[in-house]
Amino acid sequence: MLRVYSAAGRIVSQKCLCGKVSLRPLQPCHRYSTAGNPGASAGKIVGTGFLLIGGGIGGTFLYAKWDPKFRESVEKSVPYSDKVFEVTLGPAPYAVSLPKKQISSAAEVVNQKAAPAKRKEKPESSVPLATTAEPSLEVASAEAAHIISAASEVPSIPAPGTHDGNGESEGEQKSATQPGEPSTKPKLALPAVKERPPEEVAARLAEQEKAEQEAVASLSAALEEELSSAAHVTLQAIASQEAAVFAINSHSQKLKEAMEDSEVTPEQKSAQWGALEDALKQRSKTVDEAADALLKAKDTLEKLRSFIDGAKNIKAAGAKSHVLVAEESLNRMLVDLDNVVKKVQAAQSEAKIVAQYHELVAVAKEQFQKELDSITPDVHPSWKGLKVSDLAGKLSTDDLNSLIAHAHRRIDQLIKQLAIQRAREQQHVETAVEQQKQEHKNMLDMAVSKALDHYRSEINLEQEKKVEEIREVMEVEMRTQLRRQAAAHTDHLRDVLKVQEMELKVEAEQEFSHKLAELETHYRRMTQEQLDNFTLDMNAAYARLKGMEQAVENHAVAEEKARKAHQLWLSIEALSCILKLASGDSPTEPLDGVVEAIKSSCADNEFTQTLTSAFPEDSLKRGVYSEAALRARFYNVRKLARRVALIDETRNSLYQYFLSYLQSLLLFESQQVKPPAQLSSGDLDTFKLLSYASYCIEHGDLELAAKFLNQLKGEPRRVAQDWLNEARLTLETKQVINILSAYANAVGLGTTQVE
Amino acid sequence: MSEGELSRKWDRCLADSVVKLGAGLGLGIVFSVIFFKRRTWPIAFGSGMGIGMAYSNCQHDFQAPYLLHGKFVKEQ
């Protein structure tokens, strides 16, 4: 085995040498590349090598630039090539795998966004519905809004925070939310949508009705006021007109009376004239008053008309009648006024006639007076206005004569005029008739037109009244119809509501149950998970505990083992120490005790037991010699062995002893010869063996030396026997100790706890 | 120890030879004096015998390990 090992060692060393040898020529070539021909050829080789390498690398780069897959494969196979590629070619086109992820992630994001957008849309869609369903004054639309908001309320119930939903629903029931609220919180404002509860609608309706009524009342009051004022004024005007008429009539009457130069006393005449003046004044006054009153009345009537027109625009229901009534009264008043005006005008025309007559008479009188004056110039100018009858006492006879003459003349003239008049009477009458006819026609026209107007206005009034009545009737009917419709609508709504309620209830229940089931499953899952987790944890903890216990036990065991190993090691160390402690030539301490210690320290270890029993008895009892002692002894042995080299079984006389001694003196061999790997038969010579052995000894290989000495034959062998034995003992002990220490080391390593 | 064996043998041998020589010499001298009228031959003889015996002993001692001792077994 030694030979095999040595051979193997030699082969390995030779291999190493060969390997090294193969690399060596490069190094000197590098150094000598610049020098001479061998350098040039080497340079050529180097140059071509560089060219090839550069070409290869460039080709790799180009191809990697063109084909990313190749680039990837190169990057994978060659480390740090990816960095090189990045520097030179730029970052790799990561086109294949990532975009899918990005697209998918984008799709996810889009989906996620779409979901909340959809969810957002729903409330928003319901919001505009709610906004559009803003309660108008109609109850139906309010109810519709109520329904819609109730419908939009449903999804909010399973929303997170049922408390919120409940609070919201309650809130929107209790509080009157305004339409402006949903803009702030689109999702939560779903239930807080603007719809007015019926009470409010009714209240509003009532309010509006009240307002209407109030307006109507106010309108009627105003109308009545106006009417009353107008009536009052009109009455006043009428009264004044009547007064005026009366005054005119009285005046004309008085004038007629005055004009009639009948048998009345001058005092009466003067009284008459005075009364006439009074009457004239009165008439003028009353006429003025009447005109004023008429104006006022006309103004008031105009105002009233305008008011009525304005009032016509009020859509209040009850106002119409009032308006109609007012109009009627207005018309009546107008008619009365017109009549009165007509009367006044007739009176005035009559008065005018009378006045004309009076004028004529006055003119005639003046003329007469003038004539009289011309005739009788020295008449007192103060009696111009006086009556003729008053003059009677103041005139002289001449004057009287002239007067009578004048009177006669005048009479003649008048008779002539009368004749002419009579002659022209027909014409006059015709013209007068014509005139009268004309006038009559005019008057008739006027009257007709007035009557037409009146009639028209009356008809209008009647029409309006009728319209009003019909309208009222229609309204009433419409109201009834509406009521009916409303009733029907309410019924329908009720039904629809019922149906919807049922549906919603069912849906809500479904959802609720669904959610409940979900929550239950979720809860169950959670509890199960918790349980599982808990069990897992418990198991884990238990396992860990067990593991820990096991670990601790193992640790303890390992510690025990380690302790034992340590002990073993210590004892073995003690052994080896003992070996080392062999001082000088004396053997070591007997290994008995220590081996006993070893035996006791690892009583359960078969290996150790076997080994400890493998100790040679002598080593136990007596101890072994150290190597140094053996070495020293060897030289002695060698000397002796050399001296008795020739002695063996056949030659063992004293003479042979002498001869061998002589041989030993005369034979020179080298002290130490390196033993060859394989011994040939020629090597079995004593001296050679001794040289080999001494070489081995010198190089510390006791075993080999012992092996060589074992080859001795004859007396040298007998001489070396003891040494051999000792060497064998030592070697054995050492071997055992080595094994034990190796074992102890192994055990120690094995039991060593790496921290 | 085996390497001391030879030394011991040589010691024994020498001692023996000395003893034997002396004894032989002495006896020779005695014999020569007593019996052989102070001739030298008994001294030489005696010493010679002594040396011889010593030599033989020595040799026998040295040969001892290689001597085979057999027993003669009669054929039955």
Side-chain angles (χ1 to χ4, degrees):
Chain A
M1 197 142 115
L2 172 71
R3 268 181 234 163
V4 168
Y5 282 152
S6 57
R10 252 177 261 144
I11 288 162
V12 162
S13 60
Q14 272 184 358
K15 265 194 179 173
C16 290
L17 289 171
C18 290
K20 278 180 202 160
V21 158
S22 67
L23 282 172
R24 270 198 206 132
L26 273 176
Q27 286 176 346
C29 279
H30 273 292
R31 285 193 212 121
Y32 301 143
S33 59
T34 54
N37 271 337
S41 64
K44 268 193 212 161
I45 291 166
V46 164
T48 44
F50 271 134
L51 266 173
L52 281 170
I53 289 164
I57 288 167
T60 322
F61 272 122
L62 280 169
Y63 192 59
K65 194 172 187 177
W66 186 66
D67 185 14
K69 282 213 175 120
F70 173 71
R71 179 174 169 166
E72 270 180 51
S73 62
V74 165
E75 279 175 12
K76 262 191 239 173
S77 55
V78 179
Y80 298 113
S81 60
D82 54 351
K83 291 215 176 72
V84 173
F85 277 136
E86 251 187 67
V87 166
T88 52
L89 300 176
Y94 289 112
V96 183
S97 59
L98 283 183
K100 283 183 193 165
K101 285 187 204 167
Q102 283 178 0
I103 285 165
S104 64
S105 66
E108 278 179 30
V109 164
V110 161
N111 281 336
Q112 283 176 1
K113 273 188 185 166
K118 272 188 193 162
R119 273 190 260 121
K120 253 198 176 180
E121 267 181 23
K122 255 208 238 166
E124 277 185 7
S125 65
S126 60
V127 160
L129 270 177
T131 49
T132 50
E134 197 167 346
S136 59
L137 300 172
E138 312 288 337
V139 178
S141 58
E143 286 196 347
H146 191 61
I147 288 160
I148 287 163
S149 65
S152 64
E153 224 182 277
V154 170
S156 76
I157 287 172
T162 53
H163 174 71
D164 281 340
N166 283 336
E168 289 290 326
S169 61
E170 277 179 11
E172 62 89 5
Q173 287 248 337
K174 284 177 188 169
S175 65
T177 55
Q178 295 303 312
E181 269 192 30
S183 60
T184 56
K185 289 182 183 176
K187 199 177 179 189
L188 282 176
L190 266 180
V193 121
K194 53 282 135 158
E195 113 287 321
R196 295 150 196 240
E199 297 96 19
E200 219 204 301
V201 168
R204 264 185 84 86
L205 268 180
E207 264 182 45
Q208 267 180 340
E209 270 190 33
K210 234 192 330 187
E212 258 183 49
Q213 276 175 6
E214 273 176 17
V216 164
S218 69
L219 177 71
S220 64
L223 273 173
E224 281 209 24
E225 250 188 64
E226 289 284 318
L227 268 175
S228 66
S229 72
H232 189 70
V233 165
T234 320
L235 277 171
Q236 259 185 0
I238 289 169
S240 62
Q241 299 281 359
E242 296 259 325
V245 161
F246 184 70
I248 292 167
N249 284 342
S250 72
H251 171 74
S252 59
Q253 185 72 35
K254 287 230 170 70
L255 187 62
K256 239 191 246 170
E257 276 185 22
M259 287 312 298
E260 281 187 11
D261 294 327
S262 56
E263 298 82 22
V264 287
T265 58
E267 291 89 21
Q268 282 179 338
K269 271 284 181 191
S270 60
Q272 273 185 349
W273 287 114
L276 191 68
E277 274 188 32
D278 288 337
L280 178 67
K281 274 193 228 161
Q282 181 80 20
R283 174 193 160 170
S284 57
K285 198 169 81 177
T286 47
V287 164
D288 288 337
E289 269 181 20
D292 284 341
L294 183 72
L295 269 174
K296 219 163 68 171
K298 278 242 154 77
D299 280 339
T300 350
L301 283 172
E302 279 298 321
K303 259 198 319 191
L304 182 64
R305 180 172 284 279
S306 64
F307 191 77
I308 284 166
D309 285 337
K312 269 191 194 161
N313 293 333
I314 294 172
K315 288 183 195 159
K320 269 286 182 184
S321 59
H322 294 275
V323 163
L324 280 173
V325 163
E327 246 191 287
E328 211 177 326
S329 51
L330 171 74
N331 277 344
R332 256 189 278 119
M333 276 191 271
L334 276 171
V335 162
D336 287 340
L337 263 179
D338 285 337
N339 289 344
V340 156
V341 162
K342 234 192 319 190
K343 262 200 234 159
V344 164
Q345 274 177 354
Q348 269 190 338
S349 65
E350 253 199 65
K352 211 180 345 180
I353 293 171
V354 173
Q356 267 182 354
Y357 174 58
H358 175 70
E359 281 277 331
L360 275 172
V361 168
V363 161
K365 272 204 182 131
E366 257 185 56
Q367 213 176 356
F368 186 62
Q369 215 50 51
K370 261 189 224 164
E371 287 170 5
L372 273 179
D373 284 342
S374 66
I375 296 167
T376 61
D378 51 346
V379 174
H380 202 277
S382 64
W383 55 275
K384 266 205 184 147
L386 291 169
K387 285 226 170 184
V388 178
S389 55
D390 294 336
L391 303 170
K394 290 184 188 171
L395 296 171
S396 62
T397 47
D398 281 338
D399 289 335
L400 278 169
N401 290 336
S402 57
L403 198 64
I404 290 162
H406 179 71
H408 275 298
R409 248 186 287 147
R410 189 86 179 131
I411 287 163
D412 284 336
Q413 198 189 7
L414 281 172
I415 287 165
K416 271 188 215 160
Q417 263 189 356
L418 191 64
I420 291 165
Q421 284 290 334
R422 272 205 194 119
R424 293 192 186 153
E425 190 184 332
Q426 197 65 36
Q427 283 181 359
H428 283 160
V429 164
E430 277 180 14
T431 53
V433 162
E434 285 286 334
Q435 222 180 12
Q436 186 68 26
K437 235 193 250 177
Q438 199 67 38
E439 263 191 46
H440 203 70
K441 205 166 101 175
N442 288 341
M443 285 230 3
L444 191 72
D445 285 339
M446 252 177 60
V448 161
S449 66
K450 273 223 174 92
L452 264 175
D453 284 337
H454 285 155
Y455 192 63
R456 206 175 282 133
S457 61
E458 263 185 44
I459 292 283
N460 280 344
L461 262 176
E462 265 202 47
Q463 196 183 21
E464 277 184 12
K465 228 194 267 183
K466 277 221 175 76
V467 160
E468 197 56 40
E469 275 176 27
I470 286 168
R471 187 177 286 137
E472 267 188 38
V473 164
M474 284 293 131
E475 270 224 26
V476 163
E477 221 181 287
M478 195 163 83
R479 211 165 267 169
T480 50
Q481 293 295 342
L482 275 175
R483 224 174 278 137
R484 213 178 283 165
Q485 192 187 29
H489 191 70
T490 42
D491 283 340
H492 173 68
L493 276 177
R494 207 177 292 139
D495 291 336
V496 164
L497 270 177
K498 264 200 201 128
V499 164
Q500 259 195 4
E501 192 187 315
M502 303 250 271
E503 279 180 17
L504 285 172
K505 211 184 268 183
V506 163
E507 218 179 277
E509 269 186 27
Q510 233 180 33
E511 276 246 7
F512 184 65
S513 61
H514 178 65
K515 283 279 167 186
L516 196 65
E518 251 184 48
L519 278 173
E520 253 194 62
T521 51
H522 183 67
Y523 170 70
R524 275 211 199 100
R525 200 166 7 102
M526 295 304 282
T527 47
Q528 196 62 38
E529 260 182 45
Q530 263 188 5
L531 266 173
D532 290 340
N533 283 344
F534 184 66
T535 325
L536 267 170
D537 289 339
M538 284 300 293
N539 286 344
Y542 186 70
R544 278 172 68 208
L545 183 66
K546 279 279 170 218
M548 276 200 295
E549 276 183 14
Q550 195 73 33
V552 165
E553 273 182 25
N554 291 346
H555 193 75
V557 162
E559 285 255 336
E560 186 64 33
K561 262 196 199 167
R563 193 181 62 78
K564 277 201 181 153
H566 194 60
Q567 258 187 355
L568 179 67
W569 187 83
L570 279 173
S571 35
I572 287 163
E573 271 298 304
L575 254 186
S576 44
C577 274
I578 284 175
L579 271 191
K580 284 177 200 144
L581 282 175
S583 54
D585 295 328
S586 56
T588 58
E589 298 290 322
L591 309 176
D592 209 354
V594 186
V595 170
E596 278 301 317
I598 292 173
K599 270 195 194 161
S600 63
S601 73
C602 50
D604 51 352
N605 201 341
E606 262 190 43
F607 185 70
T608 331
Q609 293 296 322
T610 324
L611 279 174
T612 45
S613 54
F615 270 111
E617 280 292 322
D618 281 335
S619 72
L620 294 173
K621 296 282 182 300
R622 191 209 55 185
V624 292
Y625 283 95
S626 67
E627 212 166 302
L630 285 172
R631 234 180 103 236
R633 205 169 134 179
F634 171 77
Y635 289 109
N636 201 21
V637 167
R638 187 197 171 152
K639 201 166 63 171
L640 280 172
R642 279 183 83 245
R643 281 190 202 154
V644 294
L646 275 176
I647 309 295
D648 58 10
E649 300 90 27
T650 51
R651 307 189 179 115
N652 48 19
S653 62
L654 273 175
Y655 179 59
Q656 295 295 331
Y657 271 92
F658 169 69
L659 282 178
S660 80
Y661 183 70
L662 195 66
Q663 188 193 41
S664 78
L665 285 176
L666 294 174
L667 215 154
F668 297 105
E669 79 281 4
S670 50
Q671 185 78 356
Q672 296 166 25
V673 173
K674 188 170 152 91
Q678 277 193 328
L679 285 175
S680 54
S681 57
D683 289 327
L684 295 176
D685 180 36
T686 310
F687 294 100
K688 266 212 184 123
L689 282 168
L690 286 171
S691 311
Y692 292 156
S694 67
Y695 179 85
C696 291
I697 283 274
E698 279 307 307
H699 286 80
D701 199 349
L702 186 62
E703 199 185 331
L704 200 56
K707 282 179 187 168
F708 279 130
L709 281 183
N710 201 26
Q711 302 301 319
L712 286 171
K713 298 249 177 4
E715 191 58 36
R717 187 192 183 82
R718 281 196 59 243
V719 160
Q721 193 64 41
D722 261 359
W723 189 93
L724 259 178
N725 284 343
E726 291 303 320
R728 202 178 283 129
L729 271 177
T730 308
L731 283 171
E732 270 181 28
T733 318
K734 264 219 177 111
Q735 194 182 44
V736 173
I737 286 169
N738 276 344
I739 293 171
L740 276 172
S741 80
Y743 176 71
N745 283 337
V747 167
L749 272 176
T751 57
T752 307
Q753 314 233 331
V754 180
E755 311 250 333
Chain B
M1 299 224 266
S2 57
E3 58 260 29
E5 184 85 24
L6 279 172
S7 319
R8 277 196 292 279
K9 277 185 185 171
W10 279 114
D11 286 344
R12 275 202 302 268
C13 193
L14 274 175
D16 195 44
S17 60
V18 163
V19 165
K20 294 251 177 340
L21 184 66
L25 197 66
L27 272 175
I29 290 171
V30 165
F31 267 70
S32 113
V33 163
I34 298 171
F35 298 113
F36 297 104
K37 297 161 222 162
R38 297 218 182 147
R39 292 209 187 194
T40 47
W41 69 264
I43 300 166
F45 187 69
S47 62
M49 253 177 57
I51 289 169
M53 275 195 293
Y55 187 83
S56 173
N57 276 350
C58 216
Q59 191 167 293
H60 187 264
D61 198 8
F62 277 112
Q63 278 178 352
Y66 300 104
L67 288 173
L68 294 167
H69 295 101
K71 245 181 163 179
F72 186 74
V73 179
K74 280 187 189 171
E75 283 182 48
Q76 294 291 334

